[in-house]
Amino acid sequence: MNRIGIPLRVGLVLVSLIWLVPYAWMVVTSVKTLPEIVAAPTAPLPAGLELGAYREVFESMPVARYFWNTTLVALGIAALQIALAVPAGYALAKLEFKGRALAFGLVLATLLVPAQVRFVPVFTLLADVGLTNTLSALILPFGVSALGTFLVRQALLSLPDSILEAARIDGASELRIVYSILPPLLVPTLVSLFLFSFVFHWNDYFWPLVMTTDDSVRTLPLGVALLREQGTGVRWHIVMAGNVLLSAPVLALFALAQKQLLNAVAASTS
Amino acid sequence: MRPARRTDPLWLLGPSLLFLFVFVVYPLGHALRLSLYDWDLLTPERYVGLENYRALFESGDFCTILQSTLSVSLTAVAFSMLIGLALALAVNRPGRLAAFARTSIFSAYVVSWVSVALLWLWLLDADAGLVSAFGRALGFERAGLLASPHTAPFAIAGVVVWKIAGYSMVLFLSGLQSIPTSVLEAAALDGAGAWQRLRRVVLPLLGPTSAFVGTTSLILTFQAFDVVRIMTQGGPVRSTTVFVYSIYEQMFVGLRVGRASAEALVFFAVLLVLTGLELVFHQRRQAL
């Protein structure tokens, strides 16, 4: 089983190419010029390294601001989710109180409600209090992660009570237990939760699309998708240059934290 | 453990429950109310009873939308699971080449739907796309996969498969790795060949994993909004107007808040029923 034969090697390479060629094509297209694409759209190599498309992307949209907004929203959501999931997961895993099963059931039930089911009423709610077109409208509706709360609870179930009892005897308040004793014990779970949430919301298109109309709060996925809708005829070298800017940070993060991201996905099964 | 003070659970859990109430529970109730009104966000709302639901079902819209949604979703779920399982079996071995393949395949799950949709829109471009050119070289006629109502839902499904096959591969991989080698060795000693080990031992033991992959993939593909909005805008001839796209269209193109809410609730009901059916199906298969 461990020896890899030649046919399998070839197969693995071909399969990898199905996933890698599209990225390569994106990069190749982004360094071509419009006349080049019109003349020979499928020429495998560009005539030269032309960065005009990138210049046009930076001229047609405030890339830095979009990038900053996107990062801020994704960081805000991930931080809020962790800050709320630890105390909630602790109460659900370790404390005995009336209504615990009900609260846990409620958290699990909300896992089933997709964003597309709740955006209409949430939009009207946020419009009523004047919060549409703000970064809050992008962060607050995702403040609690049902999955995150569930994962923290599961991780804490296997933690012996004696650790917490000892902390209490030493005079630690519940606040101290939640925010300074538990986090170091939960590092793998919290790292997974952070990466999962950060990447998901960094990539999100739907929610920013429906909640914002103002350039000042737009996010990068929205801006890049708009590149295709601008002007007459699609200028693919520009769209692909935008796409490189959009996907490169996530792919870089993936390269750095591959193991943790894979764990984050596998953890959701348990 | 007993809480140190009786009020502790309240403040530990309170903020989370408050968020869930404001942004999930209340919106569901509010959607129910909105679905009974005719409202364009500008003029005063008008109570119309079940009119929005009646219009959705009687106009035949429900059937069209359900058909598009199922064409995209069921195709994408079935193929991403089959391909994910095959890939998991192929890359479940040590060595750099297998690790490289795992990383390449899973990367598509990490990049945004927007990136993937734009990328494939360019690859599938009828005139200048790389895939279309490849198709022509193989002798297919000038293929605008996204231009025909017969092929567009499946082209979208194909893109979704490319995006999420890595997800099911990773889950099947962790399922495979939890099968004790002793079980496989025992089967081999009893004379089971590779194919028989796969069919009689490995696949049955992957039952719970496939139930999980199937259910989560179904939920995932039902929410495939970005690909549709970017690649086809619901067309051609509404063949890719899936639920999530239709809800968006009613709300922001048609400014029909009531109709959008009604569709959102019907969509939610369909999703719950299908998820339930899928779980029952897997449970019964387990019991056999």
Side-chain angles (χ1 to χ4, degrees):
Chain A
M1 193 110 167
N2 293 348
R3 287 285 307 275
I4 302 187
I6 301 290
L8 188 64
R9 276 173 186 278
V10 174
L12 286 177
V13 170
L14 287 179
V15 162
S16 306
L17 285 179
I18 296 177
W19 270 269
L20 295 178
V21 165
Y23 300 130
W25 193 236
M26 164 173 82
V27 177
V28 167
T29 307
S30 77
V31 295
K32 284 182 175 174
T33 60
L34 189 57
E36 252 184 286
I37 294 177
V38 173
T42 52
L45 287 173
L49 197 64
E50 188 62 56
L51 294 179
Y54 290 87
R55 205 160 37 240
E56 289 220 37
V57 171
F58 277 89
E59 274 165 18
S60 67
M61 69 185 206
V63 175
R65 186 198 290 153
Y66 287 171
F67 191 90
W68 170 244
N69 285 344
T70 314
T71 310
L72 206 64
V73 167
L75 277 179
I77 291 172
L80 197 57
Q81 286 185 349
I82 287 177
L84 292 173
V86 176
Y90 166 63
L92 290 174
K94 288 295 173 190
L95 300 184
E96 288 149 16
F97 59 94
K98 242 173 117 176
R100 181 169 78 166
L102 188 71
F104 186 51
L106 180 73
V107 170
L108 285 188
T110 58
L111 262 177
L112 291 169
V113 187
Q116 288 91 348
V117 169
R118 58 195 182 103
F119 84 95
V120 174
V122 171
F123 178 83
T124 63
L125 177 78
L126 292 173
D128 281 344
V129 292
L131 275 180
T132 47
N133 268 325
T134 62
L135 291 182
S136 308
L138 303 183
I139 297 174
L140 295 178
F142 299 98
V144 165
S145 158
L147 179 66
T149 311
F150 176 74
L151 291 180
V152 170
R153 174 189 177 268
Q154 296 308 96
L156 286 177
L157 281 179
S158 59
L159 183 80
D161 286 356
S162 55
I163 296 182
L164 302 168
E165 274 155 7
R168 279 191 189 169
I169 290 167
D170 287 343
S173 66
E174 294 297 283
L175 197 65
R176 215 175 100 72
I177 290 182
V178 166
Y179 287 116
S180 78
I181 294 175
L182 292 184
L185 301 170
L186 287 168
V187 168
T189 307
L190 297 184
V191 168
S192 294
L193 175 56
F194 179 86
L195 287 170
F196 202 67
S197 174
F198 182 85
V199 170
F200 182 88
H201 292 285
W202 210 88
N203 283 339
D204 191 25
Y205 173 70
F206 179 74
W207 201 264
L209 176 75
V210 298
M211 290 297 155
T212 63
T213 47
D214 193 321
D215 221 25
S216 66
V217 288
R218 278 221 182 100
T219 57
L220 200 57
L222 220 55
V224 171
L226 273 174
L227 284 176
R228 194 183 62 85
E229 294 164 32
Q230 284 167 358
T232 49
V234 185
R235 294 164 306 163
W236 283 109
H237 58 313
I238 298 175
V239 177
M240 287 303 115
N243 211 1
V244 169
L245 296 174
L246 176 63
S247 48
V250 184
L251 287 174
L253 184 68
F254 175 53
L256 287 175
Q258 197 196 148
K259 218 169 152 186
Q260 285 82 353
L261 264 165
L262 287 170
N263 285 344
V265 171
S268 59
T269 26
S270 53
Chain B
M1 276 172 37
R2 211 173 258 285
R5 272 166 311 184
R6 288 191 53 189
T7 52
D8 282 342
L10 201 64
W11 69 261
L12 288 166
L13 212 64
S16 286
L17 294 183
L18 185 71
F19 264 92
L20 289 180
F21 183 79
V22 173
F23 291 111
V24 185
V25 179
Y26 166 79
L28 277 182
H30 194 51
L32 198 61
R33 199 191 82 89
L34 285 172
S35 74
L36 304 176
Y37 285 81
D38 184 27
W39 186 33
D40 60 3
L41 288 170
L42 308 164
T43 53
E45 49 186 37
R46 191 168 58 86
Y47 181 77
V48 294
L50 294 175
E51 180 57 30
N52 286 318
Y53 293 94
R54 202 182 62 80
L56 172 63
F57 285 98
E58 280 190 3
S59 63
D61 281 359
F62 174 76
C63 288
T64 332
I65 299 169
L66 186 67
Q67 198 193 341
S68 313
T69 311
L70 292 180
S71 306
V72 173
S73 268
L74 297 185
T75 314
V77 170
F79 281 92
S80 69
M81 283 180 78
L82 277 175
I83 294 173
L85 178 62
L87 291 171
L89 290 166
V91 301
N92 184 27
R93 58 197 79 235
R96 264 197 270 171
L97 188 59
F100 179 75
R102 283 198 294 270
T103 307
S104 313
I105 297 160
F106 188 70
S107 68
Y109 185 68
V110 182
V111 300
S112 63
W113 284 96
V114 172
S115 292
V116 171
L118 289 172
L119 199 50
W120 279 93
L121 195 58
W122 171 221
L123 289 166
L124 292 173
D125 187 276
D127 298 313
L130 195 60
V131 172
S132 311
F134 190 63
R136 274 198 300 275
L138 290 180
F140 291 98
E141 51 193 290
R142 184 181 165 281
L145 283 180
L146 293 168
S148 152
H150 302 293
T151 51
F154 303 103
I156 295 274
V159 174
V160 174
V161 169
W162 188 80
K163 174 92 168 73
I164 69 172
Y167 168 78
S168 57
M169 176 194 75
V170 165
L171 294 180
F172 278 124
L173 207 51
S174 78
L176 282 175
Q177 283 162 0
S178 68
I179 297 174
T181 38
S182 57
V183 174
L184 294 172
E185 279 161 8
L189 279 180
D190 288 343
W195 172 248
Q196 275 203 315
R197 281 202 301 269
L198 177 67
R199 224 181 100 55
R200 305 269 173 215
V201 183
V202 174
L203 291 186
L205 285 173
L206 284 178
T209 309
S210 29
F212 182 83
V213 178
T215 316
T216 50
S217 304
L218 187 78
I219 296 174
L220 198 67
T221 57
F222 254 62
Q223 294 174 55
F225 169 83
D226 309 5
V227 262
V228 170
R229 153 105 182 155
I230 289 170
M231 298 186 75
T232 60
Q233 294 85 46
V237 220
R238 298 181 67 74
S239 61
T240 57
T241 301
V242 295
F243 271 111
V244 287
Y245 189 74
S246 177
I247 299 167
Y248 164 82
E249 219 178 30
Q250 294 291 351
M251 178 73 181
F252 288 105
V253 182
L255 290 180
R256 286 185 284 265
V257 181
R259 174 66 186 269
S261 304
E263 276 188 28
L265 290 172
V266 170
F267 162 64
F268 189 39
V270 171
L271 181 60
L272 287 183
V273 168
L274 279 178
T275 314
L277 280 179
E278 183 155 12
L279 286 176
V280 168
F281 166 74
H282 280 289
Q283 243 157 28
R284 290 196 45 190
R285 221 183 42 182
Q286 285 294 292
L288 289 177

